[in-house]
Amino acid sequence: MTGEQHEAPSDSVHDTTADHDVRVPGPVPPGAPAAEPSGRRRLASALWPPRVTRAQLVVALLLFVLGLGLAIQVSSTSDNSALRGARQEDLVRILDELDDRTQRLEDEKSRLEKQRTELESSSDQAEEARKQTQEKEQQLGILAGTVAAEGPGITLTVGDPSGAVESDMLLDAIQELRAAGAEAIQVNGVRVVADSYFTGGGDDMRIDGTKVAAPYVFKVIGKPEDLEPALNIPGGVVQTLEKEQATATVERSAKIIVDALRPAKRPDYAQSSSQ
């Protein structure tokens, strides 16, 4: 035969779609949440709940402590710095005063080293020791207020027309003068020494129990170039007094006499430990 007769497909031909469960998505009910993509679910499961290691906790704690310390330091510096608004020339003057104090300490160190050398090298050590003892006695007498003294220094006069000056203000002046190298001080005829105290204020100002009245006149022996700037530093004694409507004047002098004396006291309990 010239034409081929095609056979009909056999029933045994396998239908590839018959073995798969093909599901046609039906309509989404109203109000039902839409299904999230699988990638979003994987990201959410990776982020929550958070997995924190011990090392991460330690680092976080250290960073917190460091930040807290820096915050406290910055706050303290910004709130308590008395020199924030100081001018450049005031800062320079304060630095000069600190340099002067350092130089005084160096001079004292050199003086003591010189005394030691003299004692070690002197042929008559007993006589040299006696001489130095007498000098030391004079020095201690000046510090204790039992010996009069004279030398260069300043006179600080504090006027108080409104009666606003309190005892702590005068005590601050004493402390500033001592820090600047004052060696002898008297106020209105009262010798001020290491154990002096100030009480009251206004019309009842007292120094070591002795009543004093304004104007308060400080006679101070020391280096004038150190004493005067110490009172005029920003936020210092002079500015504090002026804020209370008081007046404060400082005069340098080549010779200040401090002649108010205190009686020598014998200690009740302390004794010399030298044999």
Side-chain angles (χ1 to χ4, degrees):
M1 297 171 115
T2 58
E4 290 183 351
Q5 184 177 0
H6 295 281
E7 295 180 358
S10 172
D11 292 340
S12 62
V13 176
H14 182 69
D15 187 9
T16 57
T17 61
D19 294 341
H20 296 280
D21 186 9
V22 179
R23 298 180 182 179
V24 178
V28 179
E36 295 187 11
S38 59
R40 185 178 299 177
R41 287 199 302 271
R42 287 196 299 270
L43 178 61
S45 63
L47 295 177
W48 189 264
R51 297 175 178 85
V52 181
T53 65
R54 182 177 180 181
Q56 290 173 332
L57 287 175
V58 172
V59 171
L61 180 60
L62 291 176
L63 290 176
F64 173 77
V65 173
L66 178 60
L68 180 62
L70 290 175
I72 293 175
Q73 182 178 3
V74 171
S75 176
S76 176
T77 302
S78 61
D79 293 340
N80 300 327
S81 177
L83 302 178
R84 284 181 301 169
R87 298 173 301 175
Q88 182 176 0
E89 54 267 27
D90 293 331
L91 295 175
V92 171
R93 184 169 55 184
I94 293 172
L95 290 176
D96 290 341
E97 182 185 350
L98 292 176
D99 291 339
D100 291 337
R101 293 183 184 180
T102 302
Q103 185 60 47
R104 287 196 303 272
L105 292 176
E106 291 291 340
D107 294 342
E108 179 67 13
K109 177 184 176 183
S110 299
R111 186 182 65 81
L112 293 175
E113 290 176 346
K114 181 180 178 181
Q115 288 182 354
R116 183 186 64 182
T117 302
E118 290 175 351
L119 284 173
E120 293 174 350
S121 61
S122 176
S123 58
D124 189 352
Q125 294 186 358
E127 181 62 28
E128 184 65 28
R130 188 179 301 109
K131 177 183 176 181
Q132 292 191 12
T133 300
Q134 291 175 349
E135 293 177 354
K136 180 62 69 175
E137 182 181 2
Q138 286 293 110
Q139 295 172 3
L140 294 177
I142 293 174
L143 296 177
T146 59
V147 176
E150 65 178 42
I154 64 169
T155 299
L156 167 65
T157 304
V158 178
D160 186 23
S162 61
V165 175
E166 299 292 336
S167 57
D168 60 332
M169 301 177 188
L170 299 186
L171 182 59
D172 287 342
I174 296 294
Q175 299 290 11
E176 288 291 345
L177 291 168
R178 283 175 174 166
E183 297 176 350
I185 306 173
Q186 75 178 40
V187 181
N188 287 25
V190 179
R191 189 69 169 266
V192 178
V193 294
D195 60 351
S196 292
Y197 59 92
F198 290 68
T199 57
D203 295 333
D204 191 31
M205 183 77 71
R206 295 178 182 271
I207 304 176
D208 296 336
T210 301
K211 188 173 182 178
V212 294
Y216 308 107
V217 181
F218 292 66
K219 293 184 177 181
V220 187
I221 295 177
K223 187 177 179 180
E225 293 80 3
D226 295 338
L227 298 175
E228 183 179 4
L231 299 174
N232 288 298
I233 62 175
V237 173
V238 172
Q239 287 190 2
T240 300
L241 291 171
E242 290 176 348
K243 287 180 180 179
E244 299 297 332
Q245 306 303 316
T247 61
T249 58
V250 181
E251 295 181 2
R252 300 186 185 187
S253 177
K255 184 178 181 180
I256 296 290
I257 298 177
V258 174
D259 54 6
L261 302 179
R262 297 175 66 94
K265 294 182 179 180
R266 181 182 296 275
D268 296 327
Y269 306 100
Q271 299 179 3
S272 174
S273 60
S274 61
Q275 299 296 330

